[in-house]
């Protein structure tokens, strides 16, 4: 039976948000025959998130036992994944009921693609939603198109937190990168430079804005330039080597 693995790194203070994320997963309208597993990876010692995980029969919880950072936590969860597809869900974000179906159906409709990046709305503290424009027109995204947009704009050009990708391709590129900032973007540029992807027209997830989010903390901008330099260097290195994934991916079943 086809399976999609949802990866969620979490810290102890995010337990309340984690429960809401789990409810959004429980409400997923999956295509016929598909199942999901929720791999919760606590970045630290086992704490309240372990209790939250027990509410959801599709969850598989594990704690690192020490704080290693969000990207390493994602990679540890990736090592436990059994699905042919992996989807990233941060502990404070929410999926709309169509999210996983939209991604799975994109892979079915476009067998060449290796990744799907979903469109999001901001979820504000008063529960209202704020839309923002997609960086590209929805549809197929050929290799190099998204990465060129990142180079031209000098900033992230896709909501990396909504990524769904072929598990084998993510593993082949080493998963999430241990940059101080933007480890999710560093993975996405490797995928987007070397393989085709897809941007659906639908909004599929909600990016929660709140006072405790990591990107809003003082000092977040520190090492941002160095992290973007690593990302630009990765694009340049892939282009210099002429790297493209040429083999036809296996069906996601």
């Amino acid at each position: 039976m086809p399976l999609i693995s949802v990866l969620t790194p979490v810290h102890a203070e995010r337990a309340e948000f984690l429960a809401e994320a789990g409810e959004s997963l429980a409400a997923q309208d999956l295509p016929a025959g598909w199942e999901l597993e929720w791999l919760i990876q606590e970045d630290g010692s086992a704490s309240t998130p372990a209790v939250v995980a027990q509410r959801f029969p599709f969850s598989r919880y594990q704690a690192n036992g020490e704080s290693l950072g969000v990207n390493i936590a994602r990679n540890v969860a990736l090592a436990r994944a059994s699905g042919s597809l992996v989807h990233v869900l941060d502990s404070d974000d929410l999926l709309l009921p169509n999210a996983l179906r939209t991604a799975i159906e994109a892979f079915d409709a476009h067998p060449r693609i290796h990744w799907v990046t979903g469109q999001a709305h901001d979820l504000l503290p008063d529960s209202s939603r704020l839309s923002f424009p997609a960086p590209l027109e929805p549809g197929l995204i050929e290799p190099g198109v998204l990465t060129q947009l990142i180079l031209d704009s000098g900033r992230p050009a896709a909501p990396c937190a909504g990524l769904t990708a072929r598990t084998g391709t993510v593993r082949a590129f080493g998963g999430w990168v241990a940059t101080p900032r933007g480890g999710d973007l560093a993975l996405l540029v490797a995928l987007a430079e070397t393989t085709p992807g897809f941007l659906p027209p639908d909004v599929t997830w909600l990016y929660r804005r709140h006072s405790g989010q990591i990107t809003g903390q003082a000092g977040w901008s520190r090492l941002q330039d160095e992290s973007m330099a690593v990302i630009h260097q990765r694009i340049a290195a892939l282009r210099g080597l002429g790297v493209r994934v040429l083999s036809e991916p296996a069906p996601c079943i």
Side-chain angles (χ1 to χ4, degrees):
M1 183 168 293
L3 179 71
I4 184 168
S5 301
V6 179
L7 313 182
T8 298
V10 67
H11 292 101
E13 65 272 14
R14 294 285 176 83
E16 183 178 350
F17 288 155
L18 183 69
E20 293 184 39
E23 294 294 345
S24 77
L25 281 173
Q28 288 302 295
D29 175 27
L30 292 172
W34 278 80
E35 293 184 348
L36 71 86
E37 64 174 2
W38 188 23
L39 303 176
I40 302 170
Q41 194 72 35
E42 184 161 1
D43 188 30
S45 300
S47 65
T48 313
V51 179
V52 173
Q54 294 175 4
R55 304 183 199 174
F56 303 97
F58 49 81
S59 72
R60 292 171 53 204
Y61 168 89
Q62 181 177 292
N64 290 342
E66 58 184 294
S67 181
L68 299 171
V70 63
N71 295 311
I72 294 177
R74 287 188 182 120
N75 285 334
V76 176
L78 175 65
R80 300 195 288 130
S82 300
S84 58
L85 298 174
V86 290
H87 179 86
V88 181
L89 175 62
D90 286 348
S91 59
D92 52 352
D93 293 335
L94 300 173
L95 295 185
L96 298 177
N98 66 328
L100 299 183
R101 170 183 284 276
T102 297
I104 291 168
E105 289 181 344
F107 284 98
D108 186 51
H110 306 282
R112 293 176 52 238
I113 67 173
H114 287 254
W115 53 276
V116 173
T117 181
Q119 295 196 54
H121 281 167
D122 282 340
L123 179 63
L124 304 181
D126 63 1
S127 297
S128 63
R129 288 162 54 171
L130 180 65
S131 65
F132 51 90
L136 292 168
E137 287 295 317
L140 282 169
I141 303 173
E142 294 296 337
V145 172
L146 182 58
T147 45
Q148 189 60 50
L149 181 60
I150 291 169
L151 292 174
D152 291 343
S153 67
R155 56 184 176 80
C160 308
L163 179 70
T164 308
R166 295 183 184 275
T167 306
T169 313
V170 174
R171 286 174 172 156
F173 281 104
W176 286 265
V177 181
T179 53
R181 309 286 185 262
D184 49 0
L185 181 61
L187 169 62
L188 180 59
V189 298
L191 297 174
E193 179 63 24
T194 62
T195 68
F198 189 79
L199 175 64
D202 312 290
V203 171
T204 58
W205 62 285
L206 303 179
Y207 179 71
R208 190 192 300 267
R209 298 287 187 176
H210 61 95
S211 60
Q213 65 187 143
I214 295 173
T215 54
Q217 300 305 303
W220 172 255
S221 60
R222 187 170 57 87
L223 297 177
Q224 186 92 23
D225 290 344
E226 291 84 349
S227 299
M228 285 303 298
V230 170
I231 289 164
H232 287 185
Q233 289 164 3
R234 189 170 214 196
I235 297 171
L238 289 168
R239 291 187 175 183
L241 293 172
V243 177
R244 286 289 188 274
V245 176
L246 299 178
S247 61
E248 193 73 18
C252 300
I253 57 174

